[in-house]
Amino acid sequence: MDLNRLTIHELQKKIRAGDVSSTDIVRDVFSRIDAVEKDVHAFITVMRDEALSGASRADADIKAGDIKTLTGIPVALKDILCTRGFPTTCGSRILYNYIPPYDATVVEKLKEAGAVFVGKTNMDEFAMGSSTETSCFGITRNPWDLERIPGGSSGGSAASVAADECIASIGSDTGGSIRQPAALCGVVGLKPTYGRVSRFGLIAFASSLDQIGPFTKDVEDCAIMMGVLAGYDPKESTSVPMDVPDYREHLSRGIEGWTVGIPREYFIEGIDPEVMKAIQDAIKVVEGLGARCVEISLPHTKYCLAVYYIIAPAEASSNLARYDGVKYGFRSHDGSDLLEMYKKTRSEGFGAEVKRRIMIGTYALSSGYYDAYYKKASQVRALIKRDFEEAFKQCDVILTPTTPTPAFKIGEKTNDPLQMYLSDIFTISTNLAGIPGISVPCGFTAAGLPVGVQFLAGHFEEGKLIQIASAYEKSANFEKRRPNL
Ligand code: GLN
């Protein structure tokens, strides 16, 4: 039996019925990794021994009747999450040898829920990118077409789920890095509300935008994972002390009578016609479920990309100042004095895209330019947020394409940063506004590439996202299709 193809909820049933052990599942997942990882390269670190001993512990718990939400389930972690005793590289040479002395809060929570970790997944360096091509550990390939990128920056997390190299995975999303790769790899990805999930132990990229969220094979698993990940953490000052609802209760409620907003600014020239067709079909499905789709406007949409590419690099330039060759990670031994050592460490340790962001960010924050760039961007950000507040007075959720195109070819956009940045045109606004968003598979192109539809809701309304995504998934039925690897 291909246990690796099953979902969390399917495996939970089998474990509870005593049909399979965690060791069976983990072994099966590793046989899949052995078969496809050489082609996909979703992982930076594979944690085989850790996973097998985790599986034995899970099996002992199962025998003792102590079965938790994720007991015995193989999960992969983006290599931006600190894991005690295991390398955490952020896809960067500057952290190639960094082994954190502590676990991220989400890692702790997953452990407490009984999850078994299979490895750390590949990503764009410091999560800056949309294709997983800037990792210093090599590229990840899209399981649906090995000549194409899996999306990014959490490309390894998305590809590992799509290729059945794990049952679910964790990513981070600063401007689309969960939803965009989820769409391009044909899996479900959710970016929670800013403050919903603790980021303690998440290596910071842009602190006012970063969120952690799950990649799963279907919406029910997304609800299960959110129940584990969400919640207040006294160690993280932006996490919000609010109860975590049982997201599974939203799975079968339906959306009869809902109003779904279709923002006119998201249906622009340049969208791939096959993506457009899939989204239009999705709108029809949603209407068929008893919802009313209405055109809405988010008038400041055209500024999102510009605002993001001031705010994110500004915050990154500050967050990345700590990598100096002294405190941890890589150090260049060429420097003759301290300043030389700093300079050499940073020039040799960071890749080109990270350096580009540090330079943009430092410039935007420098005296004399701060008001013109960072302050202005923050003001426009407030308008973007207000657009959504106004929109949610008229509708329950918003529906958009997740990405303007399906997965592009490896190397196609590496020499054109602006083209690369445009792949997040539909996902960035969510992070600027702090609201949650989910991407769900909504079809395939003629060449067999997955397309994703994005649903957005107001702050802390992840339940609504799960509700519409689940209703949609049940009538659309794309989640069982698998790449031919
Ligand atoms: N692609 C965007 C960027 O490069 C978003 C990345 C992310 O969400 N981490 O900044």
Side-chain angles (χ1 to χ4, degrees), residues 78 126-130 152-153 172-178 205 308-309 312 353 357 420-421 424 428 431:
K78 185 176 182 180
F126 283 101
M128 297 172 190
S130 311
S153 64
S172 65
D173 189 314
T174 304
S177 282
I178 293 175
F205 162 13
Y308 176 86
Y309 278 98
E353 184 59 29
R357 307 276 180 118
M420 189 70 90
Y421 298 170
D424 298 300
I428 272 174
N431 301 71

Side-chain angles (χ1 to χ4, degrees), residues 9-205:
H9 55 94
E10 288 164 345
L11 289 169
Q12 278 176 338
K13 283 202 196 91
K14 289 195 183 292
I15 288 174
R16 292 205 169 128
D19 293 343
V20 296
S21 68
S22 175
T23 305
D24 296 334
I25 301 168
V26 170
R27 286 227 171 95
D28 191 66
V29 162
F30 275 97
S31 68
R32 180 69 178 166
I33 291 177
D34 291 338
V36 303
E37 177 61 6
K38 58 180 189 321
D39 293 326
V40 178
H41 188 237
F43 292 96
I44 293 176
T45 305
V46 172
M47 294 160 62
R48 193 182 300 258
D49 294 343
E50 164 73 8
L52 286 168
S53 50
S56 320
R57 284 194 299 273
D59 285 333
D61 288 347
I62 295 166
K63 246 201 192 118
D66 178 17
I67 309 183
K68 304 194 193 69
T69 314
L70 297 177
T71 295
I73 305 290
V75 172
L77 303 167
K78 185 176 182 180
D79 211 19
I80 195 170
L81 292 164
C82 288
T83 40
R84 182 158 49 108
F86 291 94
T88 299
T89 69
C90 237
S92 181
R93 184 167 184 223
I94 215 156
L95 286 177
Y96 81 103
N97 59 356
Y98 175 57
I99 298 183
Y102 60 91
D103 278 328
T105 294
V106 294
V107 172
E108 256 173 22
K109 283 182 176 241
L110 289 162
K111 274 187 188 167
E112 276 161 24
V116 173
F117 299 131
V118 295
K120 303 292 294 287
T121 60
N122 199 15
M123 54 181 282
D124 281 299
E125 187 178 6
F126 283 101
M128 297 172 190
S130 311
S131 66
T132 316
E133 290 170 295
T134 70
S135 167
C136 88
F137 297 93
I139 58 171
T140 295
R141 292 170 186 274
N142 190 313
W144 295 90
D145 177 348
L146 297 172
E147 299 304 308
R148 289 174 191 269
I149 57 98
S153 64
S154 318
S157 293
S160 64
V161 173
D164 298 310
E165 295 181 88
C166 60
I167 306 304
S169 69
I170 308 294
S172 65
D173 189 314
T174 304
S177 282
I178 293 175
R179 292 157 289 151
Q180 186 257 21
L184 303 190
C185 287
V187 298
V188 175
L190 187 144
K191 181 203 89 79
T193 308
Y194 188 77
R196 183 71 287 191
V197 174
S198 165
R199 301 167 309 158
F200 178 78
L202 170 77
I203 296 178
F205 162 13

Side-chain angles (χ1 to χ4, degrees), residues 177-478:
S177 282
I178 293 175
R179 292 157 289 151
Q180 186 257 21
L184 303 190
C185 287
V187 298
V188 175
L190 187 144
K191 181 203 89 79
T193 308
Y194 188 77
R196 183 71 287 191
V197 174
S198 165
R199 301 167 309 158
F200 178 78
L202 170 77
I203 296 178
F205 162 13
S207 308
S208 76
L209 303 160
D210 299 338
Q211 257 295 294
I212 297 170
F215 288 94
T216 56
K217 297 182 190 191
D218 69 7
V219 177
E220 182 165 350
D221 278 7
C222 179
I224 294 170
M225 290 295 279
M226 277 304 294
V228 172
L229 299 175
Y232 174 63
D233 176 8
K235 287 189 280 202
E236 213 267 83
S237 62
T238 65
S239 77
V240 174
M242 252 175 87
D243 288 343
V244 180
D246 184 352
Y247 294 111
R248 282 173 299 188
E249 283 178 3
H250 290 268
L251 289 167
S252 47
R253 283 189 187 162
I255 54 165
E256 181 93 53
W258 278 27
T259 306
V260 176
I262 315 287
R264 90 170 65 95
E265 293 81 3
Y266 284 62
F267 291 80
I268 48 173
E269 229 178 275
I271 299 187
D272 179 277
E274 287 184 291
V275 170
M276 188 64 113
K277 167 84 176 55
I279 298 300
Q280 261 145 7
D281 290 349
I283 293 175
K284 283 189 206 118
V285 170
V286 164
E287 281 173 339
L289 290 164
R292 197 166 59 91
C293 291
V294 297
E295 187 178 287
I296 59 161
S297 174
L298 297 165
H300 296 90
T301 300
K302 57 178 175 293
Y303 303 116
C304 287
L305 208 60
V307 166
Y308 176 86
Y309 278 98
I310 299 289
I311 290 177
E315 293 180 7
S317 75
S318 161
N319 277 326
L320 271 55
R322 69 190 70 165
Y323 306 106
D324 56 6
V326 175
K327 294 190 270 302
Y328 30 60
F330 167 79
R331 173 188 295 185
S332 170
H333 289 288
D334 287 349
S336 53
D337 59 21
L338 184 65
L339 193 61
E340 273 282 298
M341 190 280 285
Y342 285 157
K343 280 189 188 161
K344 288 225 151 90
T345 294
R346 288 170 68 85
S347 0
E348 293 163 23
F350 290 131
E353 184 59 29
V354 173
K355 286 181 194 161
R356 182 169 13 248
R357 307 276 180 118
I358 292 174
M359 285 188 276
I360 297 173
T362 308
Y363 180 82
L365 290 177
S366 55
S367 90
Y369 293 103
Y370 179 89
D371 284 2
Y373 293 110
Y374 192 79
K375 195 169 159 212
K376 187 69 140 218
S378 303
Q379 287 164 336
V380 181
R381 180 179 185 175
L383 299 176
I384 293 166
K385 199 169 161 200
R386 197 183 308 151
D387 280 358
F388 281 105
E389 283 160 11
E390 290 303 317
F392 288 124
K393 289 179 187 159
Q394 301 162 49
C395 59
D396 297 282
V397 293
I398 292 173
L399 181 159
T400 80
T402 309
T403 61
T405 68
F408 46 90
K409 286 255 168 71
I410 291 165
E412 193 179 316
K413 301 191 180 179
T414 36
N415 293 325
D416 190 344
L418 191 59
Q419 277 307 313
M420 189 70 90
Y421 298 170
L422 282 167
S423 37
D424 298 300
I425 186 122
F426 300 141
T427 46
I428 272 174
S429 54
T430 318
N431 301 71
L432 292 170
I435 59 173
I438 191 170
S439 179
V440 189
C442 75
F444 291 85
T445 65
L449 298 173
V451 179
V453 60
Q454 174 175 247
F455 298 111
L456 308 175
H459 293 104
F460 298 98
E461 293 190 328
E462 285 80 2
K464 273 191 179 170
L465 295 182
I466 296 204
Q467 195 163 330
I468 188 163
S470 168
Y472 171 75
E473 178 187 72
K474 283 188 196 117
S475 34
N477 264 318
F478 293 113

